[in-house]
Amino acid sequence: MMAGDVGLFGPDSITWKLHREPILMLGGLRSLYLQALHPRTVAGVSQNSAYRSDMWGRLARTSDYVATVIYGSTAEAEQASARLRRLHARLSGVDPRTGETFRVDDPDLLRWVHVAEVESFLTTALRAGVHLTPDEIDAYYTEQLRAAALVGLDPATVPATAAEVADYYAALHPELGLTRDGAEAALFLTVPPIPESWGGRALRLGLTLGPPRWAYLGLASTAIGLLPPWARKLYGAPGWPTTDLAAGLSARGLRTLLAAILAVLPSEYRVSPARQAAMTRAGLA
């Protein structure tokens, strides 16, 4: 690892500013609900993934990949993305609507996943009270073109501003919808198996609606509420403005709660290991 290598973004980037926020975990969940509305994307996941038997492991691996891209050295980010590209290159799926076979690394699918993810991170942070100027919002999207290139996308084909993302969603809307795969994935995201360690003896006794379950259901409902109104309607949920208001208040409350929890933790637990390592390389820790 090259000393001083701050990776793809660095301490002066909007990306580092945004991703220091713990509330982005909620944005990750929102992005999964959004991604499930693309029929081919969710079919590819359903046909190639063991998410039903290893949901938490899959989420942990995805989180590790994002952390490596955001905070890893240039070599670490490139190595992680090369592994991901090799995996995707071996996978294909069958469109349940047309019977056509497609590649999981089809640029249209990779682009959808990328945009849904970065827009979800950004929107969730903003709705939770993180302040960014319009120029900073556009800068975040533009910075994330580097992450798009890592998965094999031509950056010139990826939305790079808030206006371009809005146009992209509008153009893609006719292709989106809730399929059986999407409904099953969304249901699994909403009511997943809760690890026993979250609930201890209560879960061993079968009390599956204990505090861990209710806490997670609260997160899931907030993530759904943060979806764009058109996406909630595709799920059969109301697109009312009051839903937007309630979800925004919930996200703000969760961000405040996370900040209060972090404030009383030892210093080594307040910053993720990936960010801490990046700050050390940058000479800031």
Side-chain angles (χ1 to χ4, degrees):
M1 181 188 302
M2 183 182 299
D5 179 5
V6 294
L8 300 182
F9 303 104
D12 295 328
S13 67
I14 303 303
T15 294
W16 274 32
K17 177 180 179 178
L18 190 69
H19 282 261
R20 71 188 178 192
E21 293 283 343
I23 195 64
L24 262 65
M25 68 176 183
L26 184 61
L29 183 57
R30 177 193 187 269
S31 78
L32 295 177
Y33 282 110
L34 195 55
Q35 290 172 37
L37 291 173
H38 191 293
R40 282 201 172 186
T41 297
V42 73
V45 171
S46 179
Q47 294 168 27
N48 290 283
S49 169
Y51 78 85
R52 292 180 179 84
S53 60
D54 187 30
M55 173 181 170
W56 302 107
R58 178 181 172 84
L59 290 178
R61 291 188 293 274
T62 300
S63 178
D64 287 345
Y65 175 78
V66 172
T68 300
V69 170
I70 299 300
Y71 292 119
S73 67
T74 303
E76 289 169 341
E78 290 176 347
Q79 290 165 4
S81 63
R83 288 193 297 270
L84 186 65
R85 291 196 306 273
R86 287 194 297 269
L87 172 62
H88 286 167
R90 300 195 300 265
L91 303 178
S92 63
V94 177
D95 189 321
R97 303 162 303 169
T98 65
E100 294 177 332
T101 299
F102 61 88
R103 291 174 59 99
V104 167
D105 61 0
D106 182 308
D108 289 340
L109 305 188
L110 295 177
R111 188 178 303 107
W112 166 251
V113 171
H114 170 83
V115 174
E117 182 177 87
V118 298
E119 184 271 326
S120 287
F121 284 148
L122 182 59
T123 296
T124 299
L126 294 173
R127 298 283 298 280
V130 177
H131 177 72
L132 294 177
T133 67
D135 285 346
E136 288 176 323
I137 290 170
D138 284 347
Y140 176 70
Y141 282 126
T142 301
E143 289 174 2
Q144 288 302 306
L145 295 180
R146 303 166 202 169
L150 285 182
V151 298
L153 286 166
D154 177 356
T157 69
V158 179
T161 65
E164 290 178 4
V165 169
D167 289 344
Y168 171 78
Y169 278 156
L172 202 65
H173 191 266
E175 300 179 30
L176 304 177
L178 187 61
T179 61
R180 178 175 178 176
D181 285 333
E184 290 178 351
L187 178 61
F188 195 83
L189 285 171
T190 306
V191 193
I194 298 295
E196 186 172 307
S197 59
W198 288 21
R201 185 169 180 269
L203 287 181
R204 288 197 296 273
L205 293 174
L207 302 179
T208 56
L209 289 179
R213 175 68 73 188
W214 287 119
Y216 180 81
L217 283 173
L219 288 176
S221 64
T222 300
I224 293 171
L226 290 172
L227 290 171
W230 56 262
R232 295 202 304 271
K233 288 178 181 178
L234 289 177
Y235 273 119
W240 300 329
T242 51
T243 303
D244 293 316
L245 176 62
L249 290 173
S250 180
R252 284 175 177 264
L254 179 58
R255 180 174 179 243
T256 300
L257 175 62
L258 289 171
I261 292 172
L262 289 173
V264 300
L265 290 178
S267 59
E268 62 266 29
Y269 295 111
R270 296 176 192 168
V271 179
S272 71
R275 181 177 173 85
Q276 184 63 53
M279 292 176 67
T280 298
R281 293 196 308 275
L284 299 175

